[in-house]
Every structure is written in C-alpha cells, then in structure tokens.
Amino acid sequence: MKRPQMIAGNWKMNTTYEEGLLLTEALINAHPDPLCEIVLCPPFTHLFGISSLIKTSPIKLGAQTMSQEKNGAFTGEISADMLKSCHCKFVIIGHSERRQIYQEKNTDINQKLTTSIHNQLTPILCIGETLEERNNQQTLSILQNQLKEGLKGLSNDLLINNQIVIAYEPIWAIGTGKVATPDQAQEVHQFIRNFLSSQFSDQLAQQTQLLYGGSVKAENIQALIEKPDIDGALVGGASLTAASFSAIINGAVQTLTR
Ligand code: 13P
C-alpha cells in the first residue's frame, strides 16, 4: 500500500499571532498544490485565525495537545470540541515535552488519544527514548511500552476507521541538531509497524503513517524518507520559517517523484 507522505510542523510555544499568520500565508503561496500532506500545529491562540487562511488551501491544521476531559472546571485546558470548532483535523498527543515537563503519563496519553479518536480528530502519537535508554539498549522495550499503553483499549476497527499517525521522536534528537541516522530511524519504524501488525492487524500496520521527528532539516529529510517505513516528518525548529519548512517539503516531494 502506498501511504501518503506527511510533513507536519510543530511550532511549540513560538511565534506571535501576527507572525503565525505571516508564516502560514507564505506557506500557502509556496505550496498551492503539494504532493505531500502539510500539517501546521501552531499554538492554540492561532488556530482559528489560521483555519480561515487555509480554508481553500490543501494545508491542514493540528493542535499540540488537548485535554481528555469533555468540558468543565479545568482552568487553562482546551477540549476536543474546541479544537474541532477551530477546524483542527489533527492533534499531537504525548509529545516528549508534555511527558517530561508536564508529567503526562502513558495513562493520560491513552485517555487523550481515546478522546481524540472518539471526536474524529486524528492523533499524532509521539513516542521516543532518552539517550540513556538508548545507550542501555532499552529503546525498543521503552517504545513497545509507550505503544501498548498509549493504544490500550482501542480496537482495530476503531483505529482503522479513524486513522492514527505515530511519530518516532528520539528525545536525544529533539532540538539538539543530532538527527537519528536513517538506519536507526528505519529500524524503529519497522519495529512500530510490526507492533501494529502483531497487536492489531496488517491492514492497520500498512495504512498508518509513521513520522520521524528530531532535528529534521532540508539536508537530512531525503535520506530519511527514502526509507520504506518512514512516511514523513514532524518538524520543530525548522518549521518556524517559511524558507526552512518549504525546503523540507520540497526535499520530501523531490524524493517521492524521483
Ligand atoms: P526539532 O525539529 O526542533 O528537533 O523538534 C522536533 C520536535 O519535537 C517536533 O515535535
């Protein structure tokens, strides 16, 4: 099965509202008819404004996290309904910064992921190991646990019908300039696909887009997505200027059309 390639930008806590609109406009103009999926994940405050800008463009919108609660007294939180009313299609769940800085546990991530799926938002589930875990040869067992716990209680049919995206983001590669080698990333992506196949179904394994994240740039995107199980990238720092993000998109498209 040929899976569509996706280049997603996680802006994290960067850009003012005005800067976000300018960046979006530049990307719309640069990619009127992209040969890969482009997803922007700006801060919450930008979602509605950006959704109006991209209405007639193929660019899609995602959020960086969300609450597992439906509504109520949860000061500062944002619900799935709120994201849908801002025309979000995607939501990043379990980013390592949420896990490490805000102490999100696999159980929280599982609840958020379940809530997103029940609300027809496509979760981009992030998993990844620390450098210490990698050095101790624990990478695959850590990732297996994050996958198992993150996807707990979800049926194969639900996942097939609603679609999930999984992003492998080794923590030691995030914001460090130290990218995983294409072989390291491919090994993990193949492991994730095998996990989906053995725990759910081959159909789910074949249809699920697996993204790599961690110091992705124009210089390394091509070698990464040439690998059979890497279906795109979740980009942090290099998604913050139109020039650097466009260069990654163009690099990915060149590889696809080669
Ligand atoms: P960098 O691309 O800045 O390493 O960030 C990756 C990331 O965390 C994307 O979610």
Side-chain angles (χ1 to χ4, degrees):
M1 179 195 277
K2 188 116 182 64
R3 290 173 293 273
Q5 299 275 334
M6 177 187 293
I7 304 293
N10 174 9
W11 296 4
K12 309 191 181 184
M13 197 174 74
N14 292 297
T15 72
T16 62
Y17 179 64
E18 290 77 11
E19 288 165 347
L21 294 186
L22 287 175
L23 175 51
T24 305
E25 271 169 0
L27 291 170
I28 293 170
N29 292 334
H31 306 285
D33 194 15
L35 292 176
C36 67
E37 291 183 314
I38 302 175
V39 179
L40 305 182
C41 301
F44 288 138
T45 48
H46 304 18
L47 290 173
F48 189 72
I50 290 181
S51 80
S52 312
L53 283 184
I54 60 173
K55 215 173 253 166
T56 57
S57 127
I59 295 177
K60 299 188 183 105
L61 193 58
Q64 298 175 15
T65 181
M66 63 165 222
S67 170
Q68 59 266 52
E69 305 294 342
K70 183 157 177 51
N71 57 9
F74 302 101
T75 301
E77 291 292 302
I78 296 288
S79 72
D81 278 342
M82 294 170 190
L83 296 184
K84 279 194 296 181
S85 71
C86 288
H87 311 290
C88 276
K89 298 262 181 296
F90 296 88
V91 57
I92 298 172
I93 304 279
H95 191 280
S96 61
E97 286 148 21
R98 300 296 313 176
R99 293 177 190 259
Q100 292 195 319
I101 305 170
Y102 300 101
Q103 273 86 49
E104 283 187 10
K105 302 276 170 283
N106 280 323
T107 48
D108 304 310
I109 289 157
N110 176 248
Q111 287 176 9
K112 288 172 189 242
L113 195 126
T114 306
T115 304
S116 74
I117 287 185
H118 284 130
N119 283 280
Q120 294 78 49
L121 287 163
T122 299
I124 302 176
L125 170 64
C126 296
I127 59 171
E129 81 287 2
T130 63
L131 187 57
E132 192 186 356
E133 288 161 347
R134 174 161 282 268
N135 289 341
N136 290 337
Q137 273 77 49
Q138 291 173 309
T139 300
L140 298 184
S141 65
I142 292 286
L143 297 176
Q144 174 158 332
N145 189 49
Q146 290 174 344
L147 287 168
K148 237 188 192 141
E149 296 293 319
L151 299 173
K152 207 181 210 159
L154 293 161
S155 72
N156 182 54
D157 284 355
L158 196 65
L159 293 174
I160 283 187
N161 293 331
N162 289 275
Q163 193 200 348
I164 53 164
V165 176
I166 297 175
Y168 168 52
E169 298 207 316
I171 295 168
W172 48 270
I174 295 178
T176 58
K178 205 172 156 190
V179 64
T181 66
D183 285 341
Q184 282 173 326
Q186 166 59 24
E187 181 196 15
V188 168
H189 282 227
Q190 190 172 32
F191 173 80
I192 299 170
R193 215 175 290 289
N194 289 343
F195 173 91
L196 293 175
S197 175
S198 66
Q199 301 297 313
F200 294 94
S201 65
D202 199 44
Q203 186 184 345
L204 185 71
Q206 292 311 318
Q207 80 174 41
T208 300
Q209 290 163 297
L210 305 183
L211 310 183
Y212 167 80
S215 297
V216 172
K217 296 186 181 56
E219 297 79 61
N220 53 39
I221 183 68
Q222 297 197 339
L224 286 163
I225 66 165
E226 266 168 10
K227 294 292 179 186
D229 290 301
I230 302 181
D231 306 312
L234 181 54
V235 185
S239 70
L240 293 174
T241 71
S244 52
F245 196 51
S246 283
I248 293 173
I249 295 167
N250 292 337
V253 167
Q254 259 175 35
T255 309
L256 297 176
T257 51
R258 210 183 273 156

